[in-house]
Amino acid sequence: DFRSARSHLDASLKLYEELGVEHRKAHVLLSLAELHLEARELQLAKELVEQAIQLATNLDERMNIAVGWQLLGRIAVFTSDPKQAERHFATAISMLESLQASDRLVDAYTEYGRLLEGRGDDKAAVRYFKLALDTSRGTKQAEQKSEDESAASA
């Protein structure tokens, strides 16, 4: 439940702060932000994401930066700011593509496709839905190939 998850994440964040450890702290901040986003506490979610992006930028944690932009895109959707959402998703997608983060890309392509569909740009939306599907299939094919190779070498 929300309280339990929040309690565990707060405890993790406190521990990072007590130990003076910065590495991976952005990940905890993003998890907290995602939790607050789900509870529609958008301002707090946004503040946590911005804090995480700043920290991740200082530490060159590019995956956390990309995830932060993706979450800002979601927040912008909920606050009815499609132009801002589009910019945030474009930044996240660009970063995720350069990181070859297939699982996250599937989500980002799908979310961006929904945004485009919602504003009536069906042609572009279908393009992003297809990208999500193709990326998902590629990930599954790569997983199957890895499993086949493991079984063959066993």
Side-chain angles (χ1 to χ4, degrees), residues 8-148:
H8 288 294
L9 290 169
D10 283 341
S12 295
L13 193 57
K14 184 178 179 183
L15 184 60
Y16 276 111
E17 289 168 0
E18 287 173 358
L19 295 174
V21 175
E22 297 291 307
H23 183 70
R24 302 295 293 161
K25 184 178 169 183
H27 182 76
V28 174
L29 289 167
L30 291 170
S31 295
L32 271 169
E34 206 158 5
L35 186 66
H36 286 286
L37 177 58
E38 291 300 317
R40 300 301 185 261
E41 297 172 352
L42 303 178
Q43 186 57 42
L44 181 54
K46 182 179 178 187
E47 291 168 10
L48 289 165
V49 171
E50 289 170 345
Q51 186 180 353
I53 288 174
Q54 180 63 48
L55 180 60
T57 300
N58 293 342
L59 297 171
D60 195 33
E61 294 176 346
R62 291 176 285 160
M63 179 60 80
N64 286 329
I65 298 167
V67 170
W69 286 111
Q70 186 177 1
L71 289 175
L72 285 177
R74 284 188 204 160
I75 292 167
V77 167
F78 285 119
T79 59
S80 300
D81 190 347
K83 289 186 187 270
Q84 188 78 337
E86 187 169 347
R87 284 191 294 274
H88 293 325
F89 281 129
T91 300
I93 287 169
S94 175
M95 293 184 79
L96 292 167
E97 286 173 342
S98 71
L99 293 168
Q100 298 178 344
S102 298
D103 290 340
R104 277 287 183 175
L105 267 172
V106 170
D107 292 338
Y109 287 148
T110 301
E111 291 169 330
Y112 190 50
R114 285 187 193 129
L115 174 70
L116 295 168
E117 182 180 42
R119 72 170 203 212
D121 191 350
D122 292 340
K123 185 176 181 180
V126 167
R127 190 171 124 241
Y128 278 92
F129 291 144
K130 284 183 180 179
L131 280 170
L133 183 60
D134 291 345
T135 302
S136 175
R137 286 180 179 157
T139 301
K140 288 177 185 173
Q141 288 171 352
E143 289 171 359
Q144 184 61 46
K145 182 178 178 184
S146 177
E147 288 173 14
D148 291 347

